[in-house]
Amino acid sequence: MHDIRTIRDHPEQFDRGLARRGVEPAAADLIALDERRRAVVTELQAGQARRNEASKAIGAAKAQKDEALAASLMAEVSALKERLPALEGEERELTETLNARLASIPNIPLDDVPPGKDEDDNALVHVRGEQPAFAFEPKEHDAIGPALGLDFETGALLSGARFTFLKGHAAKLHRALGQFMLDVLCEDHGYQQCVPPVLVRSETMFGTGQLPKFAEDSFQTTDGRWLIPTSEVSLTNAVREQILSEEALPIRMTALTPCFRSEAGAAGRDTRGFIRQHQFEKVEMVSITTPEMSEAEHERMTACAEDILTRLGLSFRRMKLCSGDMGFTAARTYDLEVWLPGQARYREISSCSTCTDFQARRMNARYRPEGEKGTRFVHTLNGSGLAVGRTLVAVLENYQQEDGSVAVPEALQPYLRGLNRFEPA
């Protein structure tokens, strides 16, 4: 969420940032709305002060037996009592309108974010790992997976499209991947493991930017709660409405949770296979930092996700998303894309974003700098470390054998009691 004071002070800079997002200029309208609100607040405060002043003067006038003055003051107080509720209502309405406008505008891209409209304009940062060479034509995961327990038919029978039933080898691999990711992040990179709620209130979804703009992308329960689309929602909001000490930062949290997405905007995309599901599991990383630390923390977080891919022996590339391809709350995003030989292309497996103070303002999450009386908003970052289902897809395609079996990456073998190969049923 944006600060109207910053917009008032730097309107041209704000509109330039919106233009990079492909959003129409908004500073002038926002400032005009705020000026109307401030004018009403000024009138309201003056009216309240005059009402209090006149109320006191009535007693003094009566004490001096000046009934005419007392009657005049009483009439004035009566008129103010009728006028002030209208002003309070107008101020409340203008404030709600302004806040709704501010909440609907995406974050401003950082200066190093490349310009562009969509994924075709994203910038390659680097490529890591070697793509496997096959002596046969590699298959896609939806051809390999069913013999290993990736059951698309039962998933569809139970729940409809974009649901999958995992059993046998596929279920074991899925579990091993999640545990491996958590161990790497917690034991080697200092993240604290958490088990957060997967049902949250509307204000929690608002805090990380899912509401109100993207309500159709999520599932809501009959009692008004929301199924989280990512544990970023729960983890980041763990510091909402708090004032943290600077020495407590950075806070680094991770969780493996189910995630739920309606995929409302993905009609016709990835309808086959395990890539895009309504229900999936993901290991999420969240960092809460000071503004001075957030730049380095973004690089660190992305490197943590890369470390997992490297240990799994998967080839991947890092992309810096252009201004038109970033998420609503992001100020800069790195996507990690893993090589899928069955598809002969790179596919997103992790997205790591710095949101600067955009989410913190929505959550009212602050910290007190050491030696200062005032507070500042924290910076928040989030990233996938990794999407478990997509990592399973990558392992199946990269480690497939000609006979239909799949070799187990060495890093996962301790989680599978030394098993080094999945044999097809």
Side-chain angles (χ1 to χ4, degrees), residues 110 112 291-300 332 354 381:
L110 293 172
D112 65 325
E292 293 78 12
M293 297 169 64
S294 65
E295 184 77 19
E297 189 68 17
H298 193 203
E299 297 297 325
R300 182 187 190 278
R332 183 202 301 113
T354 176
L381 302 94

Side-chain angles (χ1 to χ4, degrees), residues 47-335:
Q48 291 169 334
R50 178 55 189 162
R51 178 194 60 192
N52 296 338
E53 180 185 344
S55 296
K56 293 178 181 178
I58 291 171
K62 287 186 175 182
Q64 296 175 4
K65 301 187 183 303
D66 190 340
E67 295 300 329
L69 177 58
S72 175
L73 290 170
M74 289 173 67
E76 183 181 2
V77 169
S78 178
L80 285 170
K81 285 183 177 179
E82 290 184 6
R83 172 62 176 154
L84 291 179
L87 288 172
E88 289 171 349
E90 186 177 0
E91 187 272 335
R92 185 166 51 251
E93 182 178 347
L94 287 169
T95 298
E96 290 174 354
T97 301
L98 177 62
N99 287 339
R101 287 286 309 280
L102 290 171
S104 70
I105 299 172
N107 203 352
I108 300 299
L110 293 172
D111 291 341
D112 65 325
V113 172
K117 294 182 179 180
D118 52 37
E119 61 184 15
D120 293 333
D121 298 316
N122 295 339
L124 174 65
V125 178
H126 58 234
V127 179
R128 296 285 186 267
E130 294 185 7
Q131 298 175 8
F134 295 94
F136 57 94
E137 186 69 25
K139 298 178 180 178
E140 294 192 42
H141 74 280
D142 60 328
I144 307 165
L148 300 173
L150 206 57
D151 189 343
F152 301 112
E153 293 182 1
T154 302
L157 176 67
L158 296 175
S159 304
R162 298 190 189 276
F163 287 93
T164 304
F165 194 105
L166 274 69
K167 57 191 178 185
H169 291 319
K172 290 180 180 180
L173 175 58
H174 193 271
R175 182 252 303 158
L177 284 167
Q179 291 183 338
F180 166 69
M181 293 170 189
L182 286 176
D183 283 349
V184 171
L185 293 177
C186 296
E187 303 302 325
D188 298 332
H189 296 299
Y191 284 84
Q192 181 182 41
Q193 184 174 344
C194 306
V195 182
V198 298
L199 282 171
V200 297
R201 296 174 174 173
S202 293
E203 53 264 38
T204 306
M205 292 280 279
F206 175 85
T208 42
Q210 280 73 28
L211 292 182
K213 191 175 180 65
F214 302 104
E216 68 172 7
D217 294 328
S218 298
F219 293 107
Q220 189 173 25
T221 62
T222 54
D223 66 356
R225 292 182 176 88
W226 297 83
L227 290 163
I228 59 170
T230 163
S231 61
E232 168 204 344
V233 176
S234 304
L235 296 177
T236 308
N237 275 278
V239 299
R240 68 176 295 112
E241 299 174 10
Q242 293 186 35
I243 298 177
L244 306 167
S245 64
E246 184 173 10
E247 64 183 12
L249 303 176
I251 296 172
R252 299 184 180 112
M253 297 173 281
T254 186
L256 169 61
T257 66
C259 304
F260 305 88
R261 297 183 185 177
S262 70
E263 296 292 351
R269 296 178 60 193
D270 298 307
T271 54
R272 292 190 307 109
F274 201 48
I275 291 288
R276 197 177 298 275
Q277 301 277 285
H278 287 310
Q279 175 187 325
F280 59 96
E281 289 192 11
K282 180 158 68 80
V283 174
E284 187 73 6
M285 303 175 286
V286 162
S287 295
I288 313 296
T289 76
T290 64
E292 293 78 12
M293 297 169 64
S294 65
E295 184 77 19
E297 189 68 17
H298 193 203
E299 297 297 325
R300 182 187 190 278
M301 175 179 284
T302 310
C304 290
E306 291 183 335
D307 184 37
I308 294 171
L309 288 167
T310 298
R311 295 189 193 204
L312 290 173
L314 298 171
S315 176
F316 64 92
R317 66 184 185 183
R318 183 196 292 197
M319 306 294 292
K320 182 185 288 188
L321 299 196
C322 71
S323 55
D325 198 33
M326 293 194 306
F328 179 78
T329 63
R332 183 202 301 113
T333 297
Y334 291 125
D335 268 8

